[in-house]
Amino acid sequence: MVLTGARQTGKTTLARDLLPSPEIPPILYITLDDPDERRRLLDDPVRRLDHPDRLVVLDEVQKAPALLDAVKLLADRNGAHRFLLLGSSQILLLQKVRETLAGRVTVLELWPLALAEKVEAAEAPAPALSLIWDQGEEALRQLRDSSPSADIARVWRGIAEDHLQWGGYPALAAIPPSERAVWLRDFRRTYLERDLADLGRVADLDQFASAQDLLAARTGQILSYSEVARELGVAQNTVKRYIRFLEISYQVYLLRPLLPTAARLVKSPKLYWTDPGLVRVLSDRLGETNGALFETAVVDELLRWASWQGAPPRLHFFRTYTGREVDVMLSDATRLLAIEVRAGRYVDRRTVRTLRDALEAVRWPRDARVLWRLGIVVTRGRDVDEVEPGIWEVPFERLFGPGTYRTHPGTGSDGSTGATGTAPYPVR
């Protein structure tokens, strides 16, 4: 199994500190950040990794991709060897995985924390989106009819506002808000110094950092390579290479357009940064929540949610050359969920009309068994409500927060409800 993702998302913590481990024999954890350990392993990899009775964890495995030949040899020997490979990016790791471990490996991606994961409970509730995807409109009716108490709603609005401002990197939970921007800037510098050093293909780090800042200002927009290249003063191929590096290191995500419809559509992707806190720091927009930043946070939540699904839905956006656009379309063979993002508290009729047109424009195969088509407008409002048949408005914290609540979250000795991000949280 390969566990990959951006730096500081918790891969090492999960494998070293949280993974259930038998006392005898214990998990064998090896970090390839240690150059001495790396050299010893490479001198005799088969013998040093030959532990059929233990789970062998190799951290930062992209630093020694030659070890994967030994992993393949041992995995094929008798089926008793088990390996967990951790890598901070796909830069070198996944290419080697595809070449060497094809058919033998499962790849999991670990994103920064989602809103629903910020629940201090032994059993965190599934986000409402999971119930909607499983049950369709019935789940939306239940969500509308089971509004949380005022105390719980206040707790989740506080958690959601903090999440929108600072994002989901786990280390930030223990850092005072006044110091979080410093941590995120240090994270950016570490990325430049370490992940790009793994690549060894970026000669001008200052130019790459300028590209990061420029792209952060364009989160949530249609990507124009020529426009970015012109502003940076570099060739389009250089911009494409930079964006590819940011993609494979989980810094940005390119949302592709939904093409098989009756409308004439835009074919360029939209670019999103994968953490709302990081993009605020890079674009110098701390304290601001405009439409593009709110849309980025929603897409980030959808990426995390999709990574948990056994059969992840397809994620696209819908935009015609005449300007009609729906921010995200989730679909599989039987379901279509169109999601429009509005940073205000209310839904206008034009948004509803655009959602309706997009839902009707999608063409299904004649033999498809369509369960439902629904539209959701994600807002910063307070209430879940049906705007018109098949179109609903849902607040950000209700869609991505828990689908079910206790009657009351409880209070501390001072009467507080935990709205500042401390327990007790609402749980199922």
Coordinates of all heavy atoms in Angstrom, one line a residue, residues 11 22 26 76 88-89 98 130 168 202 243 245 285 306 333 355 370 373 387 406:
K11 N 0.8 11.8 7.3 CA 1.2 10.4 6.9 C 2.1 9.7 7.9 O 1.8 8.6 8.3 CB 1.8 10.5 5.5 CG 1.0 11.1 4.4 CD 1.7 11.1 3.0 CE 2.9 12.0 3.1 NZ 2.6 13.4 3.3
P22 N 0.5 -4.7 16.5 CA 0.7 -5.8 17.5 C 1.9 -5.6 18.3 O 2.9 -5.1 17.8 CB 0.7 -7.1 16.6 CG 1.2 -6.6 15.3 CD 0.7 -5.2 15.1
P26 N 6.5 -6.1 16.4 CA 6.1 -4.7 16.2 C 6.3 -4.3 14.7 O 7.1 -5.0 14.0 CB 7.0 -3.9 17.1 CG 8.3 -4.7 17.2 CD 7.8 -6.1 17.2
D76 N 6.5 -10.7 -4.3 CA 6.2 -11.8 -5.2 C 6.7 -13.2 -4.6 O 6.3 -14.2 -5.2 CB 6.9 -11.6 -6.5 CG 6.2 -10.5 -7.3 OD1 5.1 -10.1 -7.0 OD2 6.8 -10.0 -8.3
S88 N 5.8 12.0 0.3 CA 5.3 13.3 0.4 C 4.7 13.9 -0.9 O 4.1 14.9 -0.9 CB 6.3 14.3 1.0 OG 6.6 14.0 2.3
S89 N 5.1 13.3 -2.0 CA 4.6 13.7 -3.3 C 4.6 12.6 -4.2 O 5.3 11.6 -4.0 CB 5.4 14.9 -3.8 OG 6.6 14.5 -4.2
R98 N 4.2 2.7 -10.6 CA 3.5 2.2 -11.8 C 4.4 1.3 -12.6 O 3.9 0.3 -13.1 CB 3.1 3.4 -12.7 CG 1.9 4.2 -12.1 CD 1.3 5.1 -13.2 NE 2.3 6.1 -13.5 CZ 2.4 7.3 -13.0 NH1 1.5 7.6 -12.0 NH2 3.3 8.2 -13.3
S130 N -22.4 12.9 2.3 CA -22.4 11.4 2.1 C -23.8 10.9 2.1 O -24.2 10.0 1.3 CB -21.6 10.7 3.3 OG -20.2 11.1 3.2
G168 N -6.9 23.2 6.6 CA -7.0 21.9 7.3 C -5.7 21.2 7.6 O -5.7 20.0 8.0
V202 N 14.1 22.6 -11.3 CA 13.7 24.0 -11.3 C 15.0 24.8 -11.0 O 15.5 24.8 -9.9 CB 12.6 24.2 -10.2 CG1 12.3 25.7 -10.1 CG2 11.4 23.4 -10.5
I243 N 3.0 24.1 -13.2 CA 1.7 23.7 -12.7 C 1.7 22.2 -12.5 O 1.1 21.7 -11.6 CB 0.6 24.2 -13.7 CG1 0.5 25.7 -13.6 CG2 -0.7 23.5 -13.4 CD1 -0.5 26.3 -14.6
F245 N 4.2 20.4 -11.6 CA 4.9 20.2 -10.3 C 4.0 20.4 -9.1 O 4.0 19.7 -8.1 CB 6.1 21.1 -10.2 CG 7.2 20.7 -11.2 CD1 8.3 21.6 -11.4 CD2 7.2 19.6 -11.9 CE1 9.3 21.4 -12.3 CE2 8.2 19.3 -12.9 CZ 9.2 20.2 -13.1
R285 N -4.4 37.4 1.2 CA -5.8 37.7 1.4 C -6.3 37.2 2.7 O -7.5 36.7 2.8 CB -6.6 37.2 0.2 CG -6.4 37.9 -1.1 CD -7.3 37.4 -2.2 NE -6.9 36.2 -2.8 CZ -7.4 35.6 -3.8 NH1 -8.5 36.2 -4.4 NH2 -7.0 34.5 -4.3
A306 N -14.4 13.0 -1.8 CA -14.3 12.0 -2.8 C -13.3 11.0 -2.6 O -13.4 9.8 -2.9 CB -14.1 12.7 -4.2
A333 N -22.7 6.7 -12.9 CA -23.5 6.1 -13.9 C -25.0 6.4 -13.7 O -25.8 6.3 -14.6 CB -23.3 4.6 -14.0
L355 N -28.4 26.4 -12.8 CA -28.4 25.0 -12.3 C -29.4 24.1 -13.1 O -29.0 23.0 -13.5 CB -28.7 24.9 -10.8 CG -27.6 25.1 -9.8 CD1 -28.1 25.2 -8.4 CD2 -26.6 24.0 -9.9
V370 N -31.1 6.1 -14.4 CA -30.8 7.4 -13.7 C -31.7 7.4 -12.4 O -32.9 7.3 -12.4 CB -31.2 8.6 -14.5 CG1 -30.9 9.9 -13.8 CG2 -30.4 8.6 -15.8
R373 N -31.3 13.5 -10.4 CA -30.5 14.7 -10.7 C -30.9 15.8 -9.7 O -32.1 16.0 -9.5 CB -30.8 15.2 -12.1 CG -30.6 14.2 -13.2 CD -30.9 14.9 -14.5 NE -31.0 14.0 -15.7 CZ -30.6 14.3 -16.9 NH1 -30.3 15.6 -17.2 NH2 -30.7 13.5 -17.9
V387 N -35.4 25.5 -2.9 CA -35.7 26.7 -3.6 C -36.8 26.4 -4.7 O -37.7 27.3 -4.9 CB -34.4 27.2 -4.3 CG1 -34.6 28.5 -5.1 CG2 -33.3 27.4 -3.3
R406 N -26.3 15.5 18.1 CA -27.0 15.3 19.4 C -28.0 16.4 19.6 O -27.9 17.5 19.0 CB -26.0 15.2 20.5 CG -25.2 13.9 20.6 CD -24.3 13.9 21.8 NE -23.6 12.6 21.9 CZ -22.6 12.4 22.7 NH1 -22.1 13.4 23.4 NH2 -22.0 11.2 22.7

